[in-house]
Amino acid sequence: MKTLSNIKAVQKILAPLRGKKRIGFVPTMGAFHEGHLALMRRAERECDFVVVSLFVNPLQFGPKEDFAAYPRSVPSDRKMAQEAGVDLLWTPTAEEIYPSPYRTFVDVEEITRRWEGAVRPGHFRGVATVVAKLLQVVQPDRAYFGQKDYQQTRVLRQMVKDLHFPVSIRILPTVREKDGVAMSSRNQRLSPAERAAAPILFRALTQAETRVRQGIHESRPLLKEVAALIQSEPLARIDYIALCDPASLEPIEKIQKEAVFLLAVKIGSVRLIDNLLIRI
Ligand code: AMP
């Protein structure tokens, strides 16, 4: 596996492969866990050449967010990526991605308004801008993302469609710990007591799913029960819980065929998100 930082060097490796080899791409912010590795392994199975980018993108963090505290572990990431069959690990610098003066941004409208977009103003502008730039450099045949960040998958699908990126977007299911906690680089920042409280998110989602299976399809009672369950955990504070249309992410009053439960909960000082797609 090669590790490169410079954009020109990455393009030089990829140019001769285009049209001959299927290029798979997994954009990440590093601190790899099984969720990232699942994306890399799938890319390795489906493609001939796998590129992983590792870039903690300053543009998608708000001024009061955890950019400085975001976990960074490049040496162990390199080893894990190599073992997952990655061919090229691209570790761009912020200076090269956002040379000064930097003036071009990608804003995806509507679908970014609610949920993460409302709690984290500018977040999706940062995500869409950096992913557009990374796709532009790598020009992959397939790009892999996790369902863990559900709203992000919708935003990126919309962007790729609107901007005519010739890439197929692959969304893989959320990889979880044994107790249901969705794997996340941010889990490293939970204290032991907070980590013990973290399964409340998945328990809430599975409880909601059980209720749906029992025939409760209206949002109001479902959300009320889920909120009460989360609030029973003293370390948990709800940012939002919502039952939405899986495509538009607009809240729904009743599940017709499909819905997605979205939730964001603070456990101590660490903000965790999770979601569950439900089909009836
Ligand atoms: P990140 O490094 O957090 O930006 O994540 C990079 C990619 O891995 C994104 O597409 C995430 O949605 C995906 N990802 C993160 N955690 C998980 C998980 N637990 N299961 C599946 N995919 C994940």
Side-chain angles (χ1 to χ4, degrees):
M1 184 185 79
K2 265 199 161 34
T3 305
L4 293 173
S5 156
N6 179 263
I7 292 177
K8 283 244 153 56
V10 168
Q11 286 170 323
K12 202 168 155 197
I13 298 238
L14 295 175
L17 306 180
R18 289 193 207 298
K20 299 196 186 78
K21 303 237 181 215
R22 184 176 289 167
I23 299 172
F25 180 42
V26 185
T28 79
M29 299 205 300
F32 294 155
H33 49 65
E34 281 298 320
H36 297 111
L37 296 180
L39 302 182
M40 295 178 206
R41 292 193 193 109
R42 175 69 74 90
E44 202 272 328
R45 281 210 302 279
E46 294 183 352
C47 304
D48 307 308
F49 193 90
V50 176
V51 183
V52 170
S53 62
L54 193 173
F55 180 57
V56 185
N57 174 31
L59 196 62
Q60 72 190 66
F61 289 81
K64 296 205 182 102
E65 291 180 8
D66 58 351
F67 175 68
Y70 197 84
R72 289 165 172 86
S73 49
V74 177
S76 71
D77 283 352
R78 192 177 289 141
K79 194 158 166 274
M80 289 164 86
Q82 174 143 28
E83 283 167 9
V86 172
D87 297 288
L88 172 59
L89 182 65
W90 176 28
T91 57
T93 63
E95 291 71 30
E96 206 183 1
I97 295 290
Y98 302 115
S100 179
Y102 188 81
R103 299 288 185 243
T104 307
F105 300 89
V106 179
D107 266 311
V108 180
E109 297 189 342
E110 288 304 313
I111 201 163
T112 55
R113 229 166 18 95
R114 295 179 187 273
W115 323 125
E116 289 303 284
V119 181
R120 308 181 65 187
H123 170 66
F124 286 121
R125 183 185 207 227
V127 170
T129 300
V130 81
V131 172
K133 289 163 69 71
L134 299 174
L135 288 174
Q136 181 61 25
V137 171
V138 177
Q139 298 184 25
D141 299 278
R142 291 181 174 181
Y144 295 80
F145 299 92
Q147 191 196 310
K148 154 89 191 335
D149 299 281
Y150 187 84
Q151 191 174 10
Q152 170 173 286
T153 66
R154 299 306 309 170
V155 171
L156 294 176
R157 274 196 190 283
Q158 186 75 46
M159 177 193 79
V160 157
K161 182 165 166 275
D162 290 349
L163 295 182
H164 315 288
F165 276 103
V167 61
S168 146
I169 299 287
R170 318 281 281 175
I171 311 292
L172 268 58
T174 303
V175 179
R176 299 180 180 281
E177 305 280 0
K178 279 202 184 70
D179 60 5
V181 172
M183 293 204 181
S184 162
S185 308
R186 289 190 169 96
N187 293 350
Q188 291 181 21
R189 297 184 35 229
L190 296 165
S191 70
E194 289 164 352
R195 178 61 188 79
I200 194 71
L201 281 83
F202 187 61
R203 273 181 39 219
L205 292 172
T206 43
Q207 165 132 345
E209 186 178 34
T210 305
R211 289 288 182 254
V212 173
R213 301 275 167 250
Q214 289 168 347
I216 304 177
H217 295 164
E218 320 240 298
S219 256
R220 198 181 294 241
L222 286 169
L223 293 177
K224 201 169 155 202
E225 193 176 324
V226 169
L229 179 63
I230 296 173
Q231 278 153 0
S232 72
E233 169 51 64
L235 290 177
R237 268 206 342 271
I238 298 172
D239 244 7
Y240 60 79
I241 8 173
L243 188 63
C244 305
D245 177 275
S248 70
L249 294 186
E250 289 297 308
I252 54 176
E253 281 183 8
K254 188 169 183 209
I255 308 176
Q256 300 298 346
K257 231 162 88 188
E258 264 195 328
V260 62
F261 265 102
L262 298 178
L263 57 86
V265 176
K266 269 206 173 130
I267 306 280
S269 65
V270 185
R271 190 169 175 280
L272 301 179
I273 59 170
D274 206 341
N275 68 80
L276 195 71
L277 263 174
I278 294 180
R279 283 190 188 91
I280 57 173

